[in-house]
């Protein structure tokens, strides 16, 4: 395969986005210019949907839940910054669904959400 974008310093070597840098920090790279520009456009339009899986202690009720609030980074220049709910923050919406419930010894309940 010929990944010319990997050598292009003007296009950050194909680096599109660092997803959720405050958590896992997964990095998204494009292997072509078409993919790079398509992905950048989707992030700019805020049309990218992210999906996560989490194992939680306890049973979560069987219902779809939404968390919506404007989030503002407290200090964007600080890598350890946190986001807080603020009227002047960016709109954020999270949908939480339960997938499975587990019971582990000794009497420990878990939810996969």
């Amino acid at each position: 395969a010929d990944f010319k974008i990997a050598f292009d310093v003007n296009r950050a070597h194909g680096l599109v986005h660092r997803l959720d840098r405050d958590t896992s920090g997964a990095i998204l790279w494009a292997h072509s210019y078409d993919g790079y520009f398509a992905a950048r456009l989707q992030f700019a339009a805020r049309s990218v949907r992210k999906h996560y899986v989490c194992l939680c202690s306890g049973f979560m009720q069987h219902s779809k839940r939404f968390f919506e609030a404007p989030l503002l980074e407290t200090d964007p220049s600080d890598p350890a910054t946190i986001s807080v709910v603020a009227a002047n923050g960016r709109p954020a919406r999270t949908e939480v669904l339960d997938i499975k419930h587990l019971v582990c010894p000794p009497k420990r309940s878990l939810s996969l959400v």
Side-chain angles (χ1 to χ4, degrees):
D2 186 19
F3 304 116
K4 292 179 183 173
I5 195 167
F7 301 100
D8 188 344
V9 68
N10 294 319
R11 297 292 172 241
H13 305 285
L15 175 62
V16 175
H17 199 277
R18 182 162 181 193
L19 304 168
D20 302 315
R21 69 173 186 260
D22 298 330
T23 57
S24 65
I27 297 174
L28 178 63
W29 259 284
H31 69 270
S32 70
Y33 285 97
D34 287 345
Y36 175 82
F37 288 113
R40 294 289 304 245
L41 182 60
Q42 289 175 35
F43 274 101
R46 300 188 56 80
S47 64
V48 174
R49 292 188 57 162
K50 303 171 190 174
H51 299 268
Y52 303 86
V53 176
C54 178
L55 186 62
C56 301
S57 180
F59 278 144
M60 183 178 152
Q61 294 292 327
H62 286 288
S63 65
K64 194 182 285 191
R65 296 176 185 200
F66 293 96
F67 300 101
E68 293 186 72
L71 298 179
L72 181 68
E73 289 186 56
T74 54
D75 183 1
S77 64
D78 180 1
T81 189
I82 61 169
S83 294
V84 295
V85 175
N88 60 335
R90 291 189 338 195
R93 182 174 196 222
T94 301
E95 177 182 358
V96 180
L97 303 168
D98 65 317
I99 299 173
K100 288 286 183 188
H101 291 129
L102 311 161
V103 177
C104 304
K107 295 185 180 180
R108 185 166 180 200
S109 58
L110 301 168
S111 294
L112 189 62
V113 298

